[in-house]
Amino acid sequence: MVRVKSRYLLCEINVPDRSRLFLLDDRAVAAAVKAAVARMHGDYGAALCSIRFSVKYLNAHTGIVFLRFPKKCYRLLWSALPFITCIETRGQKIECFLNCLHVGGTIRTCQKFLVKYNTQQLHRMLPKCKSEEERSQVREAILKCCLTRGNKQEFGEESDSEDDEEQ
Amino acid sequence: MSSSKAKMREKKMKNQPSSVQYSPSTTQNGGGAVVSGGGQLMERPKTPHQSAGWSRGHQRDGGSYAKEMPKCITAGAFARARAAEVSSMLKAVRKTTGSCHVFGALPKHMRRRAMSHNTKRLPRRLRDVAERMREKSLQAGSKKKEQAKNKSRKARRRHGNLLLEFNRRQRKNVWLETHIWHAKRFFMVKKWGYCLADKPTSKCYRPCYRALSSHCLLQDLSYYCCIELQGEENNLLASLSQLTSKETGPTFAAALSLSGQKQGSVVMYRAGCYPLQPLGPVTFLWRPQSQGSTLRQLWIWAHPTMKKDLLTELQTVCQCDEAVAPPIVPIEQKLPVTPEDKQIAGTKRKQTVKDISGPPAKKLLGDGTRSPTTPVSWKSNCTGTIINDLTMEMVRFRLIGPQSHTVLAETLEVATKYGESDKLKPSSLWWPEHCKEESKMVLHQEQADAYHLLKGILSAGELPPGTVLGLTVEDPRLTLPTKKLKALPSVQKAQEVDEEKSRELMLKGVPKHCCQSSLWDRSVRDNVTENRISEKELNHLRGELLVPGSRLSPAPPQSSVPVLLVHQPGKQLGHEMSSWGAGWDLLLPKGWGMAFWIPLVYRGVRTGGLNMSLKHSQNKGVPHFPHDYPDCTSGALFQDEQEAELLEKFRRRPPAKRTNYIKHGCLAPFRCPWQQLAEEWELILIEEGKKKDSQTTRGADEVIKEETTSLRDMTAAKPVSCVSVLRCRKSLRLLSGWCRPTTSKGQRLCRVEKVPQLDHPAMTSFLTAHGMSLVWVRLLMPSKGKPELHAIVCAPTAEDLQLLDKGPGSSGPQEPLHRDHFKSRRKGSTKTATSSLPSEKSEGQMSHLLTASEEPKPSSKASSGFTAGLWPDPLPSVTSHCSRVTLGWVTQGDFSLSVGCGEALGFVSVTGLLQTLSNQEMKHRGILLLRNPTSLHYRFVKVTIEV
């Protein structure tokens, strides 16, 4: 029907030093994107980027970011993302690049994709594990994901949602 | 964002994942599973990382990832973080909306109409949950309903239960006897411990005004408190003289009032405190002296807000510290409703069979809030003075308007004498007993004659003010007309009356002995109250009549009621519209309120509430209690209440739609800082005096110097004196003369006695006496404009007065727009860093108009209690805040229907007024400026002080 349409970009921030990832915050990411767009596309780009752009979600542990762009111009803005080389936050420059994993029309599709993607990642990690302890931890994490996925089928059970909250 | 909106949003975002990041101050941001995983990450401090190459969150090629793998803990934590993210995402994905309905989770194409109503329309897997939800909501709904409804409406409306309910509701706020009649027709307010009618629900402002000025307006003033003093005349007068001052007009000792012929009114002060600490205005009535007795009886009628103070003050001056309970108890026992009621109300919840066992509920008469043990009478041991609190013991109706006597004459008929035959039989009723005494019957006849004379009068204003007439009348219900008819004066009746006699009545008032009434006797009052025929019995008697609708005769013996008619003076101040709004007060024994009210209403009178009494006093130009008594405690209390009320009303508007009073240069739109005003004018005067000093030392005018120095000494001597209102008649007359332009054409100067010239010595001597006072002024707007509440009264400059010369049509000057210094601070507090450029730009044009003195530094008060558009406390200088010097404020302002132009009443500082007047030319004396709080336009007003 009638609504404001946007595109949501699910991006991953890749850094050389993972501990520095914790320094990130959404405002810094937004500023970096804006700067990059302004550099690439000038005033026109900056104006486009100022309208309905926002950072909807940021996970400083995994480096996952949801960016919202207006649907009309998201390609143009997207094209500036590879030129981000560093994000300045709290007086420090973090070298990084953004890797776009998914483009969705709603946050929901991005979330769904992220679930799938994360579980896939964990599965890939498992055979690479070196020690037994590590292996058990990864396995536990995978199990957690699987459990909730399994529960997904029995939707609406109250006990289920309580389980979720406990996690 | 409003709180409900915020709540909705919170509900909606409940399941959405929040960003996981670290704020600089706290180690963790947000909550939930993800952070708990991350918290472990942070606790492990700075494990040395291999920072070789790009590490990537995921691994497309396992090799690069493997480089980071040696740190086994990292991987575990990493996996945990992933898992946490997955779970939070899953939660967000599954719980779609904030809505608690199950079908919200269904995709759109699977939703069906009325799914919430009929669960069968849902897919099977969701049905159970939906059922559960529905039950829950049903339970919640039923719980609310159960609380509201406990008895059927029919049961609740049953007479006994209804009375019980009414009595319960009367316990907190006293109901007048006409309460239910009023509650159906008026907006009721709970004020001063009473439930009072404020204004009618129908639109009748103008009809009410017409009734005031040409027919009759009826009000129930039973909430006024009556305090009775009994004792020796000398003792009473001696003690009461401490509370009043002769300077404000006739006191309790005035000869006409003392004889009981006239009702007097006086402003009372705390003992020996005049002119400070007034209690408020009261009216009083002396009982005419009966033969051979020095014991006198005095009724003081006071407003309920000042009753408590007045009572304590009276007790101290009369030395009546001994509370007398016993003589009151029988009266309380005659109305045993109060204690029983409480018992019944206590057991009401249990739904017992109390209706059978307990006595039937009785209608509550008098003060229902008072506990039966509270003393209402105090006695003095040394002087024998007794103070009785007669609150709610009598009903007082006020009829205002020129035809009010016509209405009274139609409604009330003099009681017929009791039959000769059964004179000897002893009776429990007072009237047959009363009829046995010949002297009383003679008096009754004379009173009846005087009453008949009243019918010949054209207007109620023709009588001498305050006339009192005692009377015994028939129950007016007996002569109730079948239809509501407007009582009109009949010329025929007027001609019948002897002209000589009526002229005498107009000049001298009612003869002295006719003021006596049995209403003064407590026993008679109680007897009448007790033996009132109920409506039901009366209707029964009527039903037995042979000719339906004919008059009931002979009248039942219990239908004679002693009443007092008290004339209320109309407008006494000023020259025009004199005796406007005169009328009669009708005093009845309690319990008879409705019996008289309905017949009065059937004579086509209008009824008014509190709002109308305010308008009445406004048109009369007199201060209304407690609105216009800022120096009384009740007046100050009223001001606080009014401020709170107005402020709340102001805050209810959206901020963008509020008036910015700062920009309008209005410091106090909701209250008037009288104290500050008076103090500032005092300071201004001192400074002026200093200036004069330096001049006069050269001129060697020693006298003025002395006077100013003495003035300064005096002001230094009384550092914190309260503001007072000037009520001294002599000074007011002087001031009133000074306000008048002497060369104006329309003024009839011959009537006014010669006033001394307004020159410097006169002014100084006047100010030494009344420097800190305020004076009640009436302001008329000759041109356009309608003054509003708390409009500012200012002194015009010389240029403004030149503007007036140009022509009558020229409107007043404009106030330049002020600057809102608090705006930027407000913006800063909301964290939006955007500068207020556009507003400053527009104000920049005006800023050159602002003088440097008008830019006070924003006070350092925190913006916690700060409302946009209002000056925060403490206020800057109130006098010099605007471009014109402030003199005072308006407390009542409206378009006056009687004058036909805007009329305002308010107070101005005496010092300020005199300063302004002395600087004005003779031609323009008494011209001031008035500005509404919501406007920048000054209007010219003429100031008059009416004495």
Side-chain angles (χ1 to χ4, degrees):
Chain A
M1 287 273 285
V2 187
R3 66 171 176 186
V4 184
K5 293 198 175 167
S6 314
R7 281 280 178 260
Y8 295 88
L9 268 60
L10 169 57
C11 299
E12 192 180 44
I13 300 171
N14 296 320
V15 286
D17 183 359
R18 286 206 68 83
S19 66
R20 302 194 70 188
L21 208 54
F22 301 137
L23 292 173
L24 281 182
D25 63 346
D26 48 1
R27 239 174 294 161
V29 175
V33 172
K34 272 184 184 165
V37 171
R39 206 165 62 240
M40 288 299 109
H41 302 294
D43 285 351
Y44 178 65
L48 285 178
C49 198
S50 69
I51 296 172
R52 260 178 28 246
F53 163 70
S54 75
V55 177
K56 296 302 281 187
Y57 172 78
L58 170 76
N59 194 333
H61 298 293
T62 52
I64 297 291
V65 184
F66 287 178
L67 302 176
R68 184 182 68 186
F69 291 130
K71 190 189 169 190
K72 207 172 85 183
C73 52
Y74 85 98
R75 283 174 178 280
L76 186 89
L77 301 176
W78 189 7
S79 66
L81 291 189
F83 295 94
I84 296 173
T85 53
C86 66
I87 295 173
E88 196 174 333
T89 170
R90 288 169 207 171
Q92 295 184 37
K93 275 194 173 178
I94 305 169
E95 290 192 346
C96 67
F97 67 87
L98 288 181
N99 184 18
C100 185
L101 303 174
H102 179 79
V103 180
T106 58
I107 289 190
R108 219 166 118 82
T109 56
C110 293
Q111 285 167 340
K112 278 178 181 168
F113 175 82
L114 188 61
V115 170
K116 213 161 70 184
Y117 172 76
N118 272 345
T119 23
Q120 193 189 2
Q121 289 301 311
L122 288 172
H123 277 294
R124 279 192 195 170
M125 260 170 84
L126 191 61
K128 299 269 163 53
C129 287
K130 293 279 160 56
S131 68
E132 199 51 44
E133 189 195 1
E134 196 181 301
R135 194 177 296 270
S136 70
Q137 274 175 347
V138 173
R139 195 175 290 139
E140 195 188 335
I142 290 174
L143 269 175
K144 257 184 193 170
C145 296
C146 292
L147 194 71
T148 39
R149 277 200 89 180
N151 282 351
K152 198 179 170 187
Q153 259 63 45
E154 308 145 31
F155 169 77
E157 290 281 326
E158 274 179 357
S159 58
D160 171 23
S161 64
E162 277 161 21
D163 279 354
D164 269 355
E165 276 155 26
E166 275 164 24
Q167 289 162 23
Chain B
M1 205 189 288
S2 67
S3 66
S4 66
K5 250 186 180 173
K7 223 180 268 172
M8 281 285 278
R9 186 172 166 75
E10 195 188 326
K11 203 176 163 192
K12 197 177 162 190
M13 301 307 286
K14 189 178 68 184
N15 292 319
Q16 291 298 320
S18 56
S19 297
V20 182
Q21 50 191 320
Y22 295 97
S23 57
S25 56
T26 57
T27 49
Q28 296 178 11
N29 183 16
V34 186
V35 178
S36 72
Q40 288 170 6
L41 269 173
M42 275 308 273
E43 278 158 25
R44 185 172 26 78
K46 289 178 188 96
T47 40
H49 272 276
Q50 289 184 348
S51 56
W54 295 96
S55 105
R56 309 184 56 184
H58 74 292
Q59 26 170 271
R60 197 170 294 151
D61 45 348
S64 66
Y65 198 71
K67 272 178 200 167
E68 232 204 357
M69 283 315 282
K71 287 290 160 205
C72 53
I73 308 166
T74 318
F78 180 73
R80 253 203 305 276
R82 288 266 150 163
E85 195 180 45
V86 165
S87 68
S88 77
M89 286 295 154
L90 269 175
K91 190 179 165 195
V93 167
R94 282 182 335 173
K95 298 275 171 65
T96 45
T97 54
S99 140
C100 57
H101 293 291
V102 191
F103 48 83
L106 275 177
K108 281 225 177 79
H109 67 275
M110 281 178 75
R111 293 187 199 168
R112 292 293 176 268
R113 196 173 62 86
M115 256 179 185
S116 56
H117 179 67
N118 187 359
T119 41
K120 293 247 169 91
R121 289 177 196 272
L122 278 167
R124 190 131 200 194
R125 63 191 168 91
L126 299 180
R127 242 173 244 171
D128 291 349
V129 190
E131 276 291 336
R132 243 178 289 157
M133 295 282 268
R134 200 161 153 242
E135 266 165 38
K136 221 192 253 172
S137 70
L138 273 180
Q139 268 177 4
S142 63
K143 219 182 271 169
K144 265 180 208 163
K145 242 183 193 172
E146 267 172 11
Q147 278 172 350
K149 188 184 156 195
N150 45 9
K151 251 188 200 176
S152 73
R153 185 189 148 79
K154 201 176 167 189
R156 271 181 286 138
R157 302 298 294 181
R158 219 168 272 149
H159 182 68
N161 292 346
L162 199 60
L163 266 185
L164 272 180
E165 175 70 8
F166 285 168
N167 288 347
R168 184 186 64 78
R169 274 154 58 188
Q170 284 181 58
R171 229 172 291 144
K172 241 184 204 158
N173 290 293
V174 183
W175 283 8
L176 305 185
E177 282 174 26
T178 54
H179 174 87
I180 295 181
W181 191 92
H182 274 114
K184 289 172 182 170
R185 292 160 181 87
F186 281 75
F187 292 108
M188 304 301 282
V189 288
K190 292 195 172 72
K191 251 187 182 176
W192 314 316
Y194 293 83
C195 269
L196 299 175
D198 188 25
K199 55 184 175 186
T201 48
S202 58
K203 291 192 175 169
C204 60
Y205 176 66
R206 263 163 198 269
C208 279
Y209 172 74
R210 274 201 297 274
L212 271 180
S213 55
S214 62
H215 193 246
C216 179
L217 185 96
L218 179 63
Q219 284 179 321
D220 189 355
L221 289 190
S222 309
Y223 61 90
Y224 265 77
C225 301
C226 180
I227 296 170
E228 187 184 58
L229 299 184
Q230 280 175 328
E232 299 276 331
E233 185 180 310
N234 293 338
N235 286 335
L236 282 182
L237 283 179
S239 43
L240 284 173
S241 65
Q242 297 173 39
L243 300 177
T244 54
S245 165
K246 271 183 189 167
E247 286 181 13
T248 59
T251 58
F252 287 102
L256 269 177
S257 341
L258 195 59
S259 66
Q261 259 180 302
K262 277 190 180 180
Q263 179 190 247
S265 67
V266 72
V267 179
M268 294 186 87
Y269 291 80
R270 280 192 193 279
C273 282
Y274 176 83
L276 298 172
Q277 299 192 32
L279 290 168
V282 295
T283 57
F284 61 91
L285 194 59
W286 286 94
R287 182 178 187 175
Q289 207 158 11
S290 47
Q291 290 90 357
S293 147
T294 49
L295 218 61
R296 297 297 305 264
Q297 215 173 334
L298 169 70
W299 278 348
I300 298 176
W301 293 85
H303 196 271
T305 49
M306 61 176 282
K307 177 191 147 192
K308 216 173 134 196
D309 285 344
L310 179 64
L311 208 57
T312 48
E313 208 61 32
L314 281 175
Q315 277 166 27
T316 44
V317 292
C318 298
Q319 297 149 7
C320 294
D321 36 15
E322 193 187 337
V324 188
I328 306 307
V329 169
I331 293 131
E332 296 284 350
Q333 275 172 354
K334 276 176 200 165
L335 302 166
V337 207
T338 352
E340 276 163 25
D341 261 358
K342 276 174 189 164
Q343 276 177 16
I344 291 166
T347 56
K348 206 185 99 188
R349 294 234 178 270
K350 289 171 197 163
Q351 296 286 323
T352 52
V353 284
K354 50 107 207 227
D355 277 326
I356 304 155
S357 60
K362 245 172 108 183
K363 202 167 155 191
L364 206 60
L365 290 176
D367 193 349
T369 56
R370 194 163 49 191
S371 84
T373 50
T374 316
V376 288
S377 183
W378 294 268
K379 200 177 171 184
S380 162
N381 282 334
C382 47
T383 55
T385 314
I386 302 172
I387 300 178
N388 285 325
D389 180 5
L390 296 187
T391 311
M392 297 297 290
E393 287 293 307
M394 267 173 291
V395 176
R396 188 182 183 114
F397 291 158
R398 176 164 289 178
L399 294 106
I400 314 165
Q403 294 306 321
S404 47
H405 66 282
T406 320
V407 173
L408 279 179
E410 280 214 8
T411 316
L412 307 181
E413 278 188 20
V414 180
T416 49
K417 275 181 202 169
Y418 198 54
E420 301 279 326
S421 55
D422 36 18
K423 230 176 188 178
L424 298 171
K425 234 191 284 173
S427 165
S428 66
L429 305 172
W430 78 280
W431 181 240
E433 295 288 318
H434 193 85
C435 286
K436 280 175 198 165
E437 287 179 49
E438 200 58 46
S439 62
K440 283 182 179 171
M441 275 302 100
V442 172
L443 179 68
H444 177 67
Q445 194 52 48
E446 278 179 28
Q447 284 177 343
D449 289 344
Y451 178 64
H452 283 301
L453 278 180
L454 273 185
K455 291 175 187 171
I457 294 174
L458 292 176
S459 153
E462 289 176 8
L463 283 168
T467 310
V468 181
L469 176 62
L471 211 58
T472 309
V473 296
E474 291 270 272
D475 187 344
R477 286 177 296 179
L478 299 177
T479 54
L480 188 72
T482 45
K483 253 186 169 179
K484 204 167 169 180
L485 282 172
K486 201 167 182 179
L488 289 171
S490 73
V491 184
Q492 211 179 357
K493 246 184 221 165
Q495 281 167 348
E496 276 171 26
V497 174
D498 189 1
E499 207 163 291
E500 200 61 31
K501 275 183 180 171
S502 69
R503 192 171 301 151
E504 199 173 313
L505 180 76
M506 272 187 237
L507 288 173
K508 288 184 185 167
V510 177
K512 205 170 169 183
H513 50 275
C514 288
C515 309
Q516 187 62 267
S517 168
S518 308
L519 193 67
W520 286 93
D521 292 324
R522 159 158 274 161
S523 55
V524 173
R525 276 203 312 265
D526 294 331
N527 192 304
V528 173
T529 305
E530 249 185 291
N531 296 314
R532 191 178 77 104
I533 317 176
S534 72
E535 205 73 26
K536 185 185 160 194
E537 286 165 35
L538 199 71
N539 285 336
H540 188 69
L541 285 177
R542 275 194 196 133
E544 282 175 352
L545 281 175
L546 280 177
V547 185
S550 63
R551 236 203 107 169
L552 209 64
S553 67
Q558 57 266 60
S559 65
S560 303
V561 191
V563 298
L564 261 181
L565 294 177
V566 182
H567 182 257
Q568 285 296 317
K571 189 170 169 178
Q572 290 169 310
L573 311 169
H575 304 306
E576 70 263 27
M577 311 270 304
S578 74
S579 80
W580 182 92
W584 288 91
D585 271 16
L586 181 61
L587 300 187
L588 305 168
K590 75 174 166 189
W592 284 86
M594 275 321 279
F596 279 76
W597 185 264
I598 297 288
L600 284 172
V601 169
Y602 264 63
R603 262 64 186 200
V605 300
R606 284 267 165 190
T607 44
L610 292 176
N611 193 31
M612 222 48 218
S613 20
L614 184 67
K615 289 289 167 225
H616 178 226
S617 51
Q618 186 181 336
N619 276 318
K620 268 162 69 174
V622 294
H624 190 252
F625 192 83
H627 300 240
D628 305 322
Y629 284 81
D631 49 345
C632 300
T633 39
S634 34
L637 200 72
F638 172 81
Q639 269 212 334
D640 291 345
E641 278 170 20
Q642 193 185 38
E643 188 197 357
E645 195 182 309
L646 290 173
L647 197 64
E648 206 215 349
K649 200 177 165 195
F650 180 73
R651 283 199 180 128
R652 275 207 301 267
R653 316 203 96 210
K657 304 287 181 288
R658 288 179 198 159
T659 317
N660 191 341
Y661 286 110
I662 301 175
K663 283 196 171 182
H664 280 120
C666 180
L667 283 180
F670 304 137
R671 103 201 111 118
C672 307
W674 300 116
Q675 181 73 38
Q676 198 182 344
L677 179 84
E679 277 166 11
E680 277 176 24
W681 271 107
E682 194 83 28
L683 280 178
I684 290 173
L685 189 74
I686 290 169
E687 274 170 28
E688 293 257 320
K690 273 180 193 164
K691 249 186 252 169
K692 284 265 164 60
D693 265 358
S694 56
Q695 287 170 5
T696 47
T697 38
R698 274 177 282 149
D701 195 343
E702 294 291 323
V703 186
I704 293 170
K705 191 183 170 190
E706 267 173 33
E707 267 173 325
T708 44
T709 45
S710 70
L711 172 72
R712 210 179 308 152
D713 291 345
M714 215 187 74
T715 48
K718 45 167 190 179
V720 193
S721 65
C722 267
V723 72
S724 68
V725 174
L726 186 60
R727 294 202 182 88
C728 172
R729 286 221 170 167
K730 230 165 148 190
S731 316
L732 279 175
R733 211 165 281 147
L734 200 64
L735 209 55
S736 155
W738 283 337
C739 279
R740 223 169 280 139
T742 41
T743 52
S744 171
K745 283 178 276 178
Q747 291 291 328
R748 283 156 293 176
L749 273 175
C750 48
R751 280 213 293 184
V752 189
E753 74 266 45
K754 192 78 186 120
V755 272
Q757 207 67 36
L758 175 60
D759 47 11
H760 198 254
M763 201 175 104
T764 327
S765 64
F766 191 89
L767 288 182
T768 37
H770 309 290
M772 278 288 277
S773 304
L774 304 170
V775 66
W776 174 252
V777 292
R778 183 159 168 256
L779 306 158
L780 279 179
M781 284 183 153
S783 61
K784 288 203 284 187
K786 180 194 153 201
E788 277 161 20
L789 190 69
H790 298 156
I792 309 162
V793 183
C794 299
T797 58
E799 295 91 69
D800 295 341
L801 291 175
Q802 280 169 12
L803 213 66
L804 194 67
D805 281 336
K806 277 183 196 163
S810 67
S811 54
Q814 292 267 353
E815 168 81 16
L817 202 64
H818 287 233
R819 209 177 205 174
D820 190 352
H821 297 277
F822 303 95
K823 200 171 183 180
S824 53
R825 196 133 51 93
R826 221 154 53 228
K827 282 206 164 169
S829 68
T830 52
K831 279 192 228 166
T832 47
T834 49
S835 64
S836 55
L837 265 176
S839 62
E840 269 176 6
K841 211 177 185 178
S842 64
E843 276 171 57
Q845 295 159 357
M846 304 306 276
S847 61
H848 66 277
L849 291 169
L850 295 167
T851 57
S853 65
E854 279 164 13
E855 295 188 21
K857 266 197 338 196
S859 56
S860 57
K861 202 196 162 205
S863 59
S864 55
F866 179 76
T867 316
L870 280 184
W871 268 93
D873 279 333
L875 298 177
S877 160
V878 285
T879 45
S880 58
H881 183 67
C882 302
S883 57
R884 310 293 187 282
V885 187
T886 306
L887 295 177
W889 290 278
V890 165
T891 55
Q892 289 177 36
D894 201 355
F895 184 84
S896 166
L897 293 170
S898 57
V899 190
C901 61
E903 185 195 28
L905 297 162
F907 290 99
V908 294
S909 160
V910 171
T911 323
L913 184 70
L914 275 186
Q915 289 256 326
T916 317
L917 289 177
S918 62
N919 293 336
Q920 280 176 342
E921 291 174 52
M922 266 314 189
K923 196 167 53 166
H924 294 306
R925 263 271 153 98
I927 297 283
L928 298 181
L929 290 175
L930 186 99
R931 185 164 70 91
N932 281 339
T934 52
S935 147
L936 289 171
H937 202 124
Y938 287 99
R939 304 269 184 195
F940 289 110
V941 286
K942 260 170 97 171
V943 62
T944 45
I945 296 172
E946 291 172 338
V947 191

